[in-house]
Amino acid sequence: MNERLSRRDFVRGAALAGVAAAAAPEVLQGFAGAPAVITRAARSLVIASANGHRYRAGGRQTAVEKAFASLTSGADVLEACVAGVNVNELDPEDTSVGYGGLPNAEGVVQLDSSCMHGPKKRAGAVAALEGVRTPSLVAKAVMEHTDHHLLVGKDAQRFARQMGFTIEDDLNTDTSRRLWLEWKRRTDPEHFPGKSRSDAAVRAGLSMVADGLIDAEHFWGTINLDALGPRGEIAGATTTSGLAWKIPGRVGDSPILGAGLYVDQDVGAAGSTGRGEANLYNLCSFLIVENMRRGMHPKDAALDALRRVQKNTVEKHLLNARGLPNFGLVFYVLNGKGEYAGVSLYPDRQYAVCTENGPQLLDCDALLTGTASDA
Ligand code: GLY
């Protein structure tokens, strides 16, 4: 059997999805006991960052394939999203997420994740969580078993232990540890806190990207995956090891609703990868969903948010020689009609989709020309 989900599997899945859509009642039962009114029957669709179609964790399916297959075999839409991102969290080769994610400045892997369920209108998140390979499952447990949204640090880990998750001493792999040691070698060993240290840390990290030691997309790497189910139900999940070599305790956009992820069952979903702080200052996922609510196509909605990011990026150390942002930021967006887009600041990024036609990597639409590091 071919490693990838065969086209026949997809056609069969799509046919089942089509039957389900045709037979789906207007009122969808079963979410928290309350009927949720779903007014559209759309094709199933999964969109993700490009790493969503690059890693298989030793199995047959990438994240988008896994999520799509789950969706079309009847799984809950958020179950499908989380099953998808679990592939990347468990694959040590994806150094941007979960097990083997690039650690913080002290060599500790600290993970952030959020998830959001459109029909249930509920979300959960964890930040700075250590010792659990699949933070997205802990985020989902926060959603399902508490009346809260976000648990952090040691207490997020305690919650995970109480929920039965295995807690490991260290989520580093040989690769992530070797890269951290290389970063230590390149930075000032004295490690003074403050902006100059943090600029030096980023410069050392980017020099490792330039030397081909780290995948450019793994520096602020993350996976976001959003799905539209056969009955129009929408959900998303974002999970990350965050900025490589970050100051311990630093939390980026991934676990923050409206930044790393936002889902509105009446509209669509948006999520991000890239420089979390730029996204946090502008709450772009929320902005994108609100833009779509006002009728914008996913691509235009995300371009508008990126224009806001560009306008609000004024600090010199964040600008290249052309006066433009010197970092990457990408949004993955879908709406309830099944329209979607991957949109980045610069035209060097791809995104993954999976439909009844199978998985694909596509080039992102970009706001700017050139590259982030253009002199
Ligand atoms: N977007 C991931 C982060 O900044 O942590």
Side-chain angles (χ1 to χ4, degrees), residues 100-273:
L102 294 176
N104 67 21
E106 300 303 326
V108 177
V109 180
Q110 281 186 335
L111 304 172
D112 306 330
S113 181
S114 62
C115 64
M116 196 162 186
H117 195 293
K120 284 183 183 172
K121 303 192 185 301
R122 288 277 298 152
V126 288
L129 172 65
E130 297 174 15
V132 183
R133 293 185 185 204
T134 52
S136 64
L137 282 171
V138 186
K140 187 159 159 290
V142 172
M143 182 187 99
E144 286 170 346
H145 299 291
T146 79
D147 196 26
H148 310 302
H149 168 60
L150 174 61
L151 297 180
V152 305
K154 291 282 174 237
D155 293 310
Q157 188 189 71
R158 191 201 333 254
F159 171 79
R161 183 181 286 111
Q162 289 165 344
M163 291 291 117
F165 287 87
T166 301
I167 310 296
E168 297 178 63
D169 281 346
D170 187 3
L171 294 182
N172 276 292
T173 56
D174 287 348
T175 303
S176 63
R177 203 184 327 277
R178 180 173 46 73
L179 290 167
W180 175 73
L181 282 169
E182 176 63 19
W183 174 78
K184 286 294 258 187
R185 195 183 64 73
R186 293 181 186 215
T187 52
D188 180 345
E190 299 211 35
H191 265 67
F192 295 109
K195 196 153 236 174
S196 59
R197 188 208 73 81
S198 113
D199 282 354
V202 169
R203 271 199 307 279
L206 291 175
S207 75
M208 291 172 70
V209 172
D211 290 351
L213 292 170
I214 304 175
D215 184 326
E217 293 184 22
H218 289 194
F219 193 57
W220 281 282
T222 301
I223 180 169
N224 163 249
L225 185 150
D226 311 297
L228 172 68
R231 291 179 292 176
E233 67 277 30
I234 301 171
T238 303
T239 177
T240 188
S241 49
L243 172 67
W245 336 128
K246 60 196 172 188
I247 291 176
R250 176 267 187 191
V251 172
D253 55 338
S254 300
I256 305 300
L257 286 189
L261 178 68
Y262 199 71
V263 177
D264 188 314
Q265 181 56 36
D266 296 335
V267 181
S272 70
T273 61

Side-chain angles (χ1 to χ4, degrees), residues 296-317:
M296 281 191 191
H297 185 276
K299 173 181 162 185
D300 299 320
L303 283 171
D304 179 66
L306 285 169
R307 260 181 230 108
R308 177 89 55 100
V309 169
Q310 183 194 346
K311 178 170 173 290
N312 287 340
T313 301
V314 295
E315 289 181 271
K316 202 158 181 267
H317 73 285

